[in-house]
Amino acid sequence: MPDTNKQYDEVMAQCRQMFVSKMGDYGPNWRILRPQTLTDQILIKARRIRTIEINGESRVGEDIWPEYVGIINYGIMELIQLERGYGEEVDMTQEQATLLYDRITAQTKNLMIAKNTDYGEAWRMMRMESYTDMILSKLQRIKQIENHGGKTLVSEGIDANLQDIINYAVFALIKHNEQTS
């Protein structure tokens, strides 16, 4: 049986490396983005994955791997924005942003461990397309919550939905790695 915790850490290490590398190019310029904009960025990535899954090809020559990485990293950025608020200018260093990234990653992994225990690794039985559909469904929920000013009556909030999106994207990357190796 594959070790989910190890596979999760391997995927997140690659995502973190991309996050850090992009900040090396641009700095934490994403700090000026409102959470809704980050939701839309995740939506764009998920829609591209779905289109590739339906059409069976990518016209720009990239597979779905970088899109899932983008979903994960945008999701973490949005969780940071929800916690810290957005700014009118970049208001933190790359080091501060990376520390926040690591903390959010640890919290999200802890949620995955708890749910994975309860659900008995059911994600391993899911089809790749189901991860995409679940991400798109969670995005619709987030957009609805955003349209209601962030308020819910009985449902989980934006943060919980973002953590689920991140975890579905990690599961998709683990499966993608298993299928391509």
Side-chain angles (χ1 to χ4, degrees):
M1 182 77 156
D3 182 349
T4 299
N5 288 330
K6 181 179 179 220
Q7 291 174 305
Y8 191 100
D9 291 343
E10 289 168 356
V11 165
M12 287 309 300
Q14 293 172 323
C15 293
R16 184 184 190 276
Q17 180 57 48
M18 181 61 70
F19 179 80
V20 169
S21 294
K22 288 205 175 207
M23 276 202 308
D25 289 342
Y26 310 124
N29 68 338
W30 50 269
R31 285 290 297 139
I32 67 167
L33 299 176
R34 291 173 282 185
Q36 298 88 337
T37 302
L38 290 161
T39 299
D40 288 343
Q41 286 301 116
I42 297 168
L43 177 66
I44 290 166
K45 301 287 186 190
R47 291 293 304 169
R48 180 169 184 269
I49 292 167
R50 188 172 182 162
T51 300
I52 291 169
E53 289 170 347
I54 291 168
N55 294 337
E57 69 175 335
S58 165
R59 297 257 175 124
V60 297
E62 289 181 349
D63 78 352
I64 59 175
W65 172 267
E67 303 303 342
Y68 279 117
V69 171
I71 287 170
I72 291 164
N73 285 342
Y74 281 127
I76 292 170
M77 288 179 222
E78 186 168 350
L79 285 166
I80 292 169
Q81 298 299 69
L82 289 171
E83 179 182 299
R84 303 277 306 249
Y86 65 92
E88 294 300 320
E89 57 189 45
V90 176
D91 60 355
M92 70 175 57
T93 66
Q94 294 177 32
E95 293 76 22
Q96 290 169 320
T98 304
L99 286 172
L100 289 167
Y101 184 99
D102 292 342
R103 185 174 52 74
I104 299 277
T105 297
Q107 291 170 346
T108 303
K109 182 182 179 188
N110 287 337
L111 176 66
M112 179 279 298
I113 291 168
K115 285 187 173 186
N116 201 33
T117 300
D118 286 352
Y119 289 97
E121 299 227 329
W123 69 269
R124 290 193 180 276
M125 295 175 256
M126 291 172 63
R127 296 177 188 99
M128 286 291 290
E129 296 83 3
S130 294
Y131 301 126
T132 309
D133 290 350
M134 293 303 296
I135 289 168
L136 287 165
S137 175
K138 297 276 183 183
L139 286 166
Q140 289 302 312
R141 291 179 187 181
I142 290 170
K143 289 176 74 162
Q144 189 71 21
I145 295 167
E146 288 170 345
N147 291 342
H148 292 132
K151 307 271 189 255
T152 59
L153 297 175
V154 295
S155 303
E156 295 178 315
I158 294 171
D159 56 344
N161 282 286
L162 285 167
Q163 286 182 305
D164 286 346
I165 287 169
I166 292 165
N167 285 330
Y168 279 124
V170 172
F171 293 155
L173 288 176
I174 290 171
K175 275 240 178 141
H176 184 270
N177 288 347
E178 290 175 345
Q179 292 172 358
T180 58
S181 55

